[in-house]
């Protein structure tokens, strides 16, 4: 089998230390913030010259926690309840022959950093903290936007959002700058699609916090928010 080596050019720094809770696609929660920090070899300001003129960028990255030696030609998309198989190339499943991901994110700014070089501040990223990035490309509206495109099985499974109930005294425990993003992530329903036990207590790590919640029907109720330090004590 012919093989090629890809070089990691950058890594993502996000509020998700684990996979649980990450939105299933980029752009679903625009209030999420992340940074793309280049590896030392690529911390060259000339390499991003002109990028600030684009509002969105493509990130090509690796599902670093889904790398496998073998692969399956079919997968079970969560959006179909996890009980129907489709071809892997007809889905965006992380379990792919090369475990590559593709995300379009909003570029807020390119910020020079004395130690880290040019840092890309982005919004709406669906990426785990530490995710390796293989390439960055500008998003081109005239070529990349296709309003007439068909959505396959995703068009037949309407996007659902939960009603989030979080007492003010609990929400106040979260950093103010992270509250909108936290509520947005919860509204997207972090649970695996096959789990629907209303008595189950779920726990999600986000931005240095542990968030515990239950879900009954279309309502998610936050029952606890505490810092990771508190959970370790």
């Amino acid at each position: 089998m012919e093989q090629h080596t890809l070089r990691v050019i950058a890594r993502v720094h996000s509020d998700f230390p684990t996979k649980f809770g990450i939105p299933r696609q980029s752009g679903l929660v625009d209030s999420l913030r992340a940074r793309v920090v280049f590896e030392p070899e690529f911390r060259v300001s000339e390499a991003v010259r002109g990028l600030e003129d684009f509002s969105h960028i493509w990130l090509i990255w690796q599902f670093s926690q889904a790398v496998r030696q073998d692969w399956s030609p079919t997968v079970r998309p969560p959006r179909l309840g996890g009980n129907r198989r489709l071809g892997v190339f007809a889905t965006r499943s992380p379990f792919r022959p090369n475990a590559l991901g593709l995300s379009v994110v909003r570029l807020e700014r390119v910020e020079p950093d004395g130690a880290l070089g040019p840092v890309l501040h982005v919004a709406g990223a669906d990426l785990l903290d530490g995710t390796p990035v293989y390439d960055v490309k500008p998003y081109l509206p005239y070529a990349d936007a296709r309003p007439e495109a068909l959505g396959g099985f995703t068009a037949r499974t309407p996007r659902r959002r939960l009603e989030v109930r979080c007492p003010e005294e609990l929400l106040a425990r979260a950093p103010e700058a992270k509250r909108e993003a936290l509520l947005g992530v919860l509204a997207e329903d972090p649970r695996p699609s096959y789990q629907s036990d209303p008595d189950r207590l779920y726990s999600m790590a986000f931005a240095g916090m542990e968030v515990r919640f239950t879900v009954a029907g279309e309502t998610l109720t936050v029952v606890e928010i505490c810092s990771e330090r508190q959970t370790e004590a």
Side-chain angles (χ1 to χ4, degrees), residues 19 24 61-68 92-96 98-103 126-128 131-132 134:
K19 292 187 296 182
R24 293 175 176 86
W61 48 276
Q62 183 190 58
F63 289 100
S64 53
Q65 294 190 2
V67 177
R68 298 178 174 180
R92 293 193 175 187
S93 167
F95 304 109
R96 323 182 67 79
N98 286 309
L100 291 179
L102 180 68
S103 295
D126 55 335
L127 299 166
L128 183 74
T131 292
Y134 291 130

Side-chain angles (χ1 to χ4, degrees), residues 193-216:
S193 58
Y194 55 82
Q195 292 182 357
S196 59
D197 183 357
D199 297 321
R200 179 163 183 167
L201 181 65
Y202 297 90
S203 178
M204 181 184 78
F206 178 77
M209 300 173 285
E210 182 181 356
V211 183
R212 298 168 184 161
F213 60 90
T214 60
V215 181

Side-chain angles (χ1 to χ4, degrees), residues 121-223:
H121 291 256
V122 300
D126 55 335
L127 299 166
L128 183 74
D129 186 51
T131 292
V133 176
Y134 291 130
D135 206 357
V136 175
K137 297 179 183 291
Y139 177 91
L140 306 179
Y142 79 90
D144 296 338
R146 289 288 185 266
E148 75 282 6
L150 300 179
F153 72 90
T154 66
R156 299 188 292 273
T157 53
R159 177 186 172 194
R160 59 190 288 267
R161 287 175 60 85
L162 299 178
E163 175 189 356
V164 178
R165 295 179 180 175
C166 181
E168 290 295 330
E169 63 271 17
L170 290 183
L171 188 60
R173 297 178 185 176
E176 185 174 359
K178 302 292 184 181
R179 293 173 191 171
E180 182 181 354
L182 172 60
L183 295 177
V185 169
L186 294 174
E188 288 293 329
D189 195 354
R191 301 172 301 162
S193 58
Y194 55 82
Q195 292 182 357
S196 59
D197 183 357
D199 297 321
R200 179 163 183 167
L201 181 65
Y202 297 90
S203 178
M204 181 184 78
F206 178 77
M209 300 173 285
E210 182 181 356
V211 183
R212 298 168 184 161
F213 60 90
T214 60
V215 181
E218 300 298 308
T219 301
L220 182 150
T221 302
V222 178
V223 299

